[in-house]
Structures are given as structure tokens and as C-alpha cells.
Amino acid sequence: MLKLDGKTLVYDRAFTHNGMQYPRNWLRLTSLSEKQAIGITEAADPVTPSYDQKFYWGVGNPKDIDQLKVDWIAKQKKEAASHLAPTDWLVTRYAEAATVIPTKTKDYRAAVRTVCGEREAQITACADTDELCALITASATIKNDKDEDVVNPAAIKDWPTE
């Protein structure tokens, strides 16, 4: 950030100093020594605190933890439902015609429900907004005991075609 007489100078904006007008490209075209010769100084940009709007109303102003838990558990359930939806027709077919559901599909659906339940328990266990924010924003990889992705329908081989 460049300052002149206590005012911040903006690149690509003309300015006037001691009755002299400087064109908008002057700051880009001059060296640091030329800028310093007329009294321009460099100052560090101020650090603006940031916050995650999903969890905070502002810096140091967290949203209600109980409502956040309700919202994030609902999102978790919706996510689980989206992973179960591609195989719902197999469950319906089984209920209507007693057609066997492939074991891989049953295992996948059970894993999705298990992971969803575990995630809901993690969300419920959060004591405050900071802890919930850390949990939700951390990168998570959900694997089974064979180190395979358990929430990826494309990972299931041998999908029934009928």
C-alpha cells in the first residue's frame, strides 16, 4: 500500500500533490526511488480479520451452536440420501418382487448409513461453534476397512442392469 501525506494512493487512479497532477498510470510507471522523491511511502496492508459466514455472523460473533447442529445434521442426512438414491430402485424391486439385492449394494448402503450416523454423532458432540467449524471444514476422506472409498457409487462394480 502506498501513502502520501497520510492518504492511501490507489494504483490506476490519478492524484494531485503540491499542485501537481499525476496521471493514473504514474504509480505503475515509476520506480520506488521516484515515488519516494515526492514523499510516497510504502506501508504494509492492514490485516483484515476473516470469518466463515456459514458459522459466524462476524469476527468473534458465532452463530447459535444448537441451530448450526440442526442445520448440519440435516445437510448430512441429505448427503447420505443422495448417495443412497441411485440404489433405491433395488430396494423397491426387492420389496415388490422379492428380487435379491446384490451384497455389494447392501454393504454400500449400510456403509453410507453408518458413516452418516458417525458424522451426526461428531456434529452433536461439538461443544461450540469453533469446534463445529473445524469439524465441517476439515478435509474428510471416508474409507472402509480395505481403504476403499465407501461413499462413491461408481466404486460399486457389477451393478444390476435390470
Side-chain angles (χ1 to χ4, degrees):
M1 171 171 41
L2 301 175
K3 293 210 167 240
L4 179 61
D5 297 331
K7 295 179 184 173
T8 301
L9 296 177
V10 179
Y11 281 97
D12 300 322
R13 187 173 294 166
F15 65 97
T16 302
H17 176 63
N18 290 338
M20 174 102 172
Q21 291 185 336
Y22 294 86
R24 63 188 187 121
N25 63 347
W26 190 85
L27 292 173
R28 292 206 182 272
L29 299 175
T30 55
S31 67
L32 179 58
S33 60
E34 290 172 306
K35 291 176 185 122
Q36 290 172 338
I38 68 164
I40 296 175
T41 58
E42 286 187 305
D45 289 332
V47 177
T48 305
S50 63
Y51 61 94
D52 190 329
Q53 293 180 358
K54 290 180 244 163
F55 300 95
Y56 300 92
W57 295 112
V59 176
N61 187 9
K63 292 183 178 181
D64 177 59
I65 184 66
D66 295 326
Q67 186 58 50
L68 284 172
K69 286 180 182 181
V70 169
D71 294 345
W72 283 102
I73 286 173
K75 288 178 186 181
Q76 183 63 48
K77 287 181 183 292
K78 186 175 180 180
E79 182 68 21
S82 75
H83 287 287
L84 294 173
T87 59
D88 282 349
W89 70 276
L90 292 166
V91 176
T92 303
R93 184 177 73 167
Y94 172 76
E96 291 176 353
T99 305
V100 176
I101 300 172
T103 302
K104 285 184 176 184
T105 301
K106 287 182 192 176
D107 292 346
Y108 170 78
R109 291 176 65 86
V112 168
R113 287 190 295 272
T114 299
V115 168
C116 181
E118 290 169 357
R119 189 67 166 175
E120 287 178 33
Q122 292 171 345
I123 291 168
T124 301
C126 290
D128 58 29
T129 303
D130 291 339
E131 191 177 342
L132 180 62
C133 180
L135 173 69
I136 298 298
T137 58
S139 72
T141 304
I142 303 170
K143 302 281 185 181
N144 65 13
D145 58 349
K146 298 175 188 170
D147 202 34
E148 300 168 328
D149 188 355
V150 295
V151 290
N152 180 1
I156 298 178
K157 306 295 185 232
D158 307 321
W159 282 83
T161 56
E162 43 185 74

